[in-house]
PDB file of all heavy atoms in Angstrom:
ATOM      1  N   LYS D 207      -9.075  19.916  30.039  1.00 35.00           N
ATOM      2  CA  LYS D 207      -8.723  18.515  30.147  1.00 35.00           C
ATOM      3  C   LYS D 207      -9.943  17.703  30.540  1.00 35.00           C
ATOM      4  O   LYS D 207     -10.727  18.093  31.394  1.00 35.00           O
ATOM      5  CB  LYS D 207      -7.618  18.305  31.193  1.00 35.00           C
ATOM      6  CG  LYS D 207      -6.294  18.953  30.806  1.00 35.00           C
ATOM      7  CD  LYS D 207      -5.272  18.715  31.869  1.00 35.00           C
ATOM      8  CE  LYS D 207      -3.945  19.379  31.510  1.00 35.00           C
ATOM      9  NZ  LYS D 207      -2.944  19.234  32.563  1.00 35.00           N
ATOM     10  N   PHE D 208     -10.076  16.540  29.933  1.00 33.00           N
ATOM     11  CA  PHE D 208     -11.118  15.618  30.341  1.00 33.00           C
ATOM     12  C   PHE D 208     -10.701  14.996  31.668  1.00 33.00           C
ATOM     13  O   PHE D 208      -9.544  14.687  31.880  1.00 33.00           O
ATOM     14  CB  PHE D 208     -11.285  14.505  29.301  1.00 33.00           C
ATOM     15  CG  PHE D 208     -11.843  15.001  28.003  1.00 33.00           C
ATOM     16  CD1 PHE D 208     -11.002  15.434  26.994  1.00 33.00           C
ATOM     17  CD2 PHE D 208     -13.199  15.036  27.793  1.00 33.00           C
ATOM     18  CE1 PHE D 208     -11.504  15.885  25.803  1.00 33.00           C
ATOM     19  CE2 PHE D 208     -13.710  15.479  26.598  1.00 33.00           C
ATOM     20  CZ  PHE D 208     -12.869  15.904  25.602  1.00 33.00           C
ATOM     21  N   ARG D 209     -11.676  14.754  32.544  1.00 32.00           N
ATOM     22  CA  ARG D 209     -11.361  14.112  33.813  1.00 32.00           C
ATOM     23  C   ARG D 209     -11.508  12.604  33.744  1.00 32.00           C
ATOM     24  O   ARG D 209     -10.869  11.877  34.468  1.00 32.00           O
ATOM     25  CB  ARG D 209     -12.264  14.658  34.933  1.00 32.00           C
ATOM     26  CG  ARG D 209     -12.183  16.164  35.078  1.00 32.00           C
ATOM     27  CD  ARG D 209     -10.748  16.649  35.156  1.00 32.00           C
ATOM     28  NE  ARG D 209     -10.024  16.041  36.231  1.00 32.00           N
ATOM     29  CZ  ARG D 209      -8.708  16.066  36.324  1.00 32.00           C
ATOM     30  NH1 ARG D 209      -7.984  16.633  35.392  1.00 32.00           N
ATOM     31  NH2 ARG D 209      -8.100  15.496  37.351  1.00 32.00           N
ATOM     32  N   LYS D 210     -12.408  12.114  32.902  1.00 32.00           N
ATOM     33  CA  LYS D 210     -12.617  10.669  32.811  1.00 32.00           C
ATOM     34  C   LYS D 210     -12.686  10.245  31.350  1.00 32.00           C
ATOM     35  O   LYS D 210     -13.204  10.955  30.514  1.00 32.00           O
ATOM     36  CB  LYS D 210     -13.951  10.273  33.474  1.00 32.00           C
ATOM     37  CG  LYS D 210     -14.004  10.510  34.989  1.00 32.00           C
ATOM     38  CD  LYS D 210     -13.323   9.395  35.728  1.00 32.00           C
ATOM     39  CE  LYS D 210     -13.517   9.532  37.239  1.00 32.00           C
ATOM     40  NZ  LYS D 210     -12.940   8.422  37.977  1.00 32.00           N
ATOM     41  N   ILE D 211     -12.171   9.087  31.090  1.00 35.00           N
ATOM     42  CA  ILE D 211     -12.402   8.462  29.799  1.00 35.00           C
ATOM     43  C   ILE D 211     -12.627   6.977  30.030  1.00 35.00           C
ATOM     44  O   ILE D 211     -12.101   6.391  30.964  1.00 35.00           O
ATOM     45  CB  ILE D 211     -11.208   8.651  28.837  1.00 35.00           C
ATOM     46  CG1 ILE D 211      -9.917   8.154  29.484  1.00 35.00           C
ATOM     47  CG2 ILE D 211     -11.063  10.075  28.399  1.00 35.00           C
ATOM     48  CD1 ILE D 211      -8.758   8.212  28.547  1.00 35.00           C
ATOM     49  N   LYS D 212     -13.448   6.381  29.204  1.00 33.00           N
ATOM     50  CA  LYS D 212     -13.750   4.965  29.355  1.00 33.00           C
ATOM     51  C   LYS D 212     -12.534   4.125  28.965  1.00 33.00           C
ATOM     52  O   LYS D 212     -11.779   4.452  28.069  1.00 33.00           O
ATOM     53  CB  LYS D 212     -14.933   4.573  28.471  1.00 33.00           C
ATOM     54  CG  LYS D 212     -16.247   5.256  28.884  1.00 33.00           C
ATOM     55  CD  LYS D 212     -16.705   4.808  30.247  1.00 33.00           C
ATOM     56  CE  LYS D 212     -18.061   5.383  30.609  1.00 33.00           C
ATOM     57  NZ  LYS D 212     -18.491   5.012  31.954  1.00 33.00           N
ATOM     58  N   LEU D 213     -12.420   2.973  29.631  1.00 28.00           N
ATOM     59  CA  LEU D 213     -11.315   2.079  29.316  1.00 28.00           C
ATOM     60  C   LEU D 213     -11.396   1.584  27.883  1.00 28.00           C
ATOM     61  O   LEU D 213     -10.390   1.245  27.276  1.00 28.00           O
ATOM     62  CB  LEU D 213     -11.321   0.887  30.280  1.00 28.00           C
ATOM     63  CG  LEU D 213     -10.116  -0.063  30.201  1.00 28.00           C
ATOM     64  CD1 LEU D 213      -8.842   0.686  30.502  1.00 28.00           C
ATOM     65  CD2 LEU D 213     -10.293  -1.232  31.119  1.00 28.00           C
ATOM     66  N   ALA D 214     -12.608   1.575  27.331  1.00 30.00           N
ATOM     67  CA  ALA D 214     -12.762   1.148  25.933  1.00 30.00           C
ATOM     68  C   ALA D 214     -11.933   2.014  24.997  1.00 30.00           C
ATOM     69  O   ALA D 214     -11.535   1.574  23.920  1.00 30.00           O
ATOM     70  CB  ALA D 214     -14.226   1.204  25.522  1.00 30.00           C
ATOM     71  N   LEU D 215     -11.685   3.261  25.400  1.00 33.00           N
ATOM     72  CA  LEU D 215     -10.864   4.146  24.580  1.00 33.00           C
ATOM     73  C   LEU D 215      -9.383   3.978  24.874  1.00 33.00           C
ATOM     74  O   LEU D 215      -8.559   4.665  24.314  1.00 33.00           O
ATOM     75  CB  LEU D 215     -11.278   5.599  24.801  1.00 33.00           C
ATOM     76  CG  LEU D 215     -12.727   5.933  24.484  1.00 33.00           C
ATOM     77  CD1 LEU D 215     -12.957   7.424  24.642  1.00 33.00           C
ATOM     78  CD2 LEU D 215     -13.082   5.493  23.084  1.00 33.00           C
ATOM     79  N   LEU D 216      -9.066   3.086  25.800  1.00 32.00           N
ATOM     80  CA  LEU D 216      -7.674   2.854  26.172  1.00 32.00           C
ATOM     81  C   LEU D 216      -7.270   1.425  25.838  1.00 32.00           C
ATOM     82  O   LEU D 216      -6.630   0.753  26.621  1.00 32.00           O
ATOM     83  CB  LEU D 216      -7.473   3.105  27.669  1.00 32.00           C
ATOM     84  CG  LEU D 216      -7.354   4.565  28.098  1.00 32.00           C
ATOM     85  CD1 LEU D 216      -7.373   4.657  29.604  1.00 32.00           C
ATOM     86  CD2 LEU D 216      -6.086   5.159  27.568  1.00 32.00           C
ATOM     87  N   LEU D 217      -7.694   0.951  24.678  1.00 29.00           N
ATOM     88  CA  LEU D 217      -7.308  -0.391  24.267  1.00 29.00           C
ATOM     89  C   LEU D 217      -5.817  -0.373  23.972  1.00 29.00           C
ATOM     90  O   LEU D 217      -5.390   0.095  22.937  1.00 29.00           O
ATOM     91  CB  LEU D 217      -8.104  -0.818  23.036  1.00 29.00           C
ATOM     92  CG  LEU D 217      -9.613  -0.945  23.268  1.00 29.00           C
ATOM     93  CD1 LEU D 217     -10.295  -1.265  21.959  1.00 29.00           C
ATOM     94  CD2 LEU D 217      -9.899  -2.024  24.289  1.00 29.00           C
ATOM     95  N   LEU D 218      -5.051  -0.870  24.910  1.00 30.00           N
ATOM     96  CA  LEU D 218      -3.601  -0.738  24.799  1.00 30.00           C
ATOM     97  C   LEU D 218      -3.042  -1.920  24.033  1.00 30.00           C
ATOM     98  O   LEU D 218      -2.734  -2.953  24.587  1.00 30.00           O
ATOM     99  CB  LEU D 218      -2.987  -0.643  26.197  1.00 30.00           C
ATOM    100  CG  LEU D 218      -3.561   0.505  27.033  1.00 30.00           C
ATOM    101  CD1 LEU D 218      -2.915   0.529  28.393  1.00 30.00           C
ATOM    102  CD2 LEU D 218      -3.361   1.818  26.335  1.00 30.00           C
TER     103      LEU D 218
END
Side-chain angles (χ1 to χ4, degrees):
K207 295 180 181 177
F208 292 90
R209 304 310 303 164
K210 295 279 187 176
I211 55 175
K212 295 295 185 183
L213 188 60
L215 301 185
L216 281 171
L217 296 176
L218 304 180

